[in-house]
Amino acid sequence: MQRQAGLFAMELWFTEKQTSSVGITCKVRRTLLEEHTGYQHMAVLETEQFGRMLVLDGMVQTTEADEFVYHEMIVHVAMNTHPRPRRVAVIGGGDGGTIREVLKHPSVEEAVLVEIDGRVVEAAREFLPSISRGLADPRVRIEIGDGVEHIRNAKEAYDVILIDSTEPVGAAVGLFSPEFYRDVCNALREDGLMVAQTESPFFNQELIRRTQAGIRASFPVTRLYLANIPTYPSGLWSFTVGSRRYDPLAVDPASIPPLDTRYYCPEIHHAAFRLPPFVRQLVGEAAAVGDGV
Ligand code: AG3
């Protein structure tokens, strides 16, 4: 009989192949959930370094350790740019982290979450309570359905729309199109604004050019900003604001109310828009693409 000593040392590692030649690898203590939801493959892993991790179609969506960066940054820039956001829509974001941050603003009367995959919401409720806890708030309405359709049918309905999507594959493709941004613009009140997560300036340059051009085609104010998110491809992540009136850069830092946050703060509100030249160049190239549309 062979000795099974090797088994005692067995380690489980998860790798997201972020590109065809780069990946992120994390040691996994255990797998809490793994299933096909009908929309996508979903897993919740307990990792050594980042705590619990939500993985959709092999791609890290959020982890307990670094989710605060993404969720604070996708929310508070827009929420503090609008003087009094009352109605907010989150498209995607079934884990609830974006909703949790939206609810930190006392002006909010209703926050609508439109998530296509109800299983993501259920899994987050069960396994990621620190992220999903806002979903139980009475101001929150959860709609399991297609965000593209919801937005198409909403007219002047929201002050802020946050597009908390997965990568532009599968169900999320439509959330990156110029037609969708036009519908988002129409779904906003006349002084409303949106933010979309727009991927990595290292690995997704074409997507950033395209989304910049698409958002510019509908919004008079379009601005890209950055945050550091260790578990996302390249660690450097972009968000894009499309605004019908207010400019996030015109916000007086002294007017930003104190919030219980760990990454976003009045200084970061402005600093996040300070772009390294290679990112500024990308945004500039998008202007050229946009002119041609
Ligand atoms: N949505 C953006 C995740 C993109 C990550 N990409 C990747 N791992 N390749 C996050 C949703 C959090 N509410």
Side-chain angles (χ1 to χ4, degrees):
M1 272 265 282
Q2 276 246 300
R3 284 185 61 215
Q4 304 217 328
L7 268 184
F8 296 107
M10 194 171 83
E11 292 180 351
L12 218 52
W13 293 74
F14 161 74
T15 296
E16 173 185 339
K17 292 182 181 163
Q18 299 175 325
T19 75
S20 55
S21 55
V22 174
I24 183 175
T25 301
C26 303
K27 191 170 171 185
V28 173
R29 284 203 189 118
R30 60 194 178 124
T31 303
L32 297 166
L33 173 79
E34 197 198 347
E35 68 178 61
H36 284 275
T37 66
Y39 283 100
Q40 53 204 341
H41 178 270
M42 172 166 69
V44 180
L45 309 175
E46 196 174 301
T47 70
E48 195 107 5
Q49 182 73 47
F50 295 108
R52 293 184 176 187
M53 172 185 272
L54 174 67
V55 182
L56 296 176
D57 282 342
M59 290 175 272
V60 178
Q61 295 304 310
T62 200
T63 79
E64 285 176 327
D66 69 352
E67 58 89 8
F68 71 97
V69 183
Y70 178 91
H71 292 128
E72 291 177 13
M73 288 303 283
I74 198 171
V75 170
H76 299 304
V77 170
M79 295 295 283
N80 285 326
T81 297
H82 193 288
R84 199 171 144 71
R86 281 169 238 221
R87 290 200 77 219
V88 179
V90 176
I91 307 301
D95 53 75
T98 298
I99 287 282
R100 182 196 64 206
E101 295 302 313
V102 165
L103 296 172
K104 289 181 178 172
H105 294 260
S107 62
V108 172
E109 291 163 9
E110 187 179 34
V112 181
L113 178 79
V114 188
E115 165 63 55
I116 201 160
D117 190 343
R119 282 297 298 146
V120 173
V121 177
E122 287 166 12
R125 282 195 152 124
E126 185 170 354
F127 295 107
L128 304 168
S130 64
I131 301 175
S132 63
R133 60 170 191 258
L135 296 174
D137 189 284
R139 290 169 288 173
V140 176
R141 185 158 64 78
I142 300 176
E143 187 179 308
I144 302 303
D146 183 359
V148 172
E149 224 166 88
H150 179 97
I151 288 297
R152 199 185 297 132
N153 297 325
K155 298 284 173 245
E156 306 250 333
Y158 297 108
D159 300 306
V160 173
I161 296 176
L162 304 167
I163 303 156
D164 184 6
S165 67
T166 54
E167 300 264 334
V169 285
V173 172
L175 301 177
F176 291 84
S177 75
E179 296 75 26
F180 176 66
Y181 298 131
R182 185 200 55 215
D183 293 341
V184 169
C185 184
N186 293 328
L188 286 165
R189 293 186 175 134
E190 56 174 6
D191 61 350
L193 70 161
M194 60 150 255
V195 173
Q197 75 87 0
T198 46
E199 310 274 319
S200 159
F202 282 102
F203 295 159
N204 308 98
Q205 301 198 341
E206 201 37 55
L207 177 115
I208 290 180
R209 282 193 203 95
R210 255 196 310 118
T211 50
Q212 272 288 310
I215 294 170
R216 259 186 217 157
S218 289
F219 289 91
V221 182
T222 302
R223 298 208 182 272
L224 182 135
Y225 62 95
L226 299 172
N228 283 85
I229 304 171
T231 58
Y232 286 179
S234 88
L236 186 66
W237 209 247
S238 77
F239 300 86
T240 306
V241 176
S243 178
R244 298 191 69 176
R245 185 187 297 172
Y246 305 115
D247 186 342
L249 288 179
V251 172
D252 175 3
S255 77
I256 295 177
L259 285 164
D260 173 23
T261 52
R262 290 193 290 151
Y263 189 96
Y264 178 86
C265 61
E267 291 85 352
I268 292 287
H269 178 106
H270 286 271
F273 290 90
R274 300 287 180 185
L275 305 178
F278 86 98
V279 181
R280 212 181 319 135
Q281 190 184 332
L282 258 180
V283 170
E285 288 163 2
V289 177
D291 290 345
V293 175

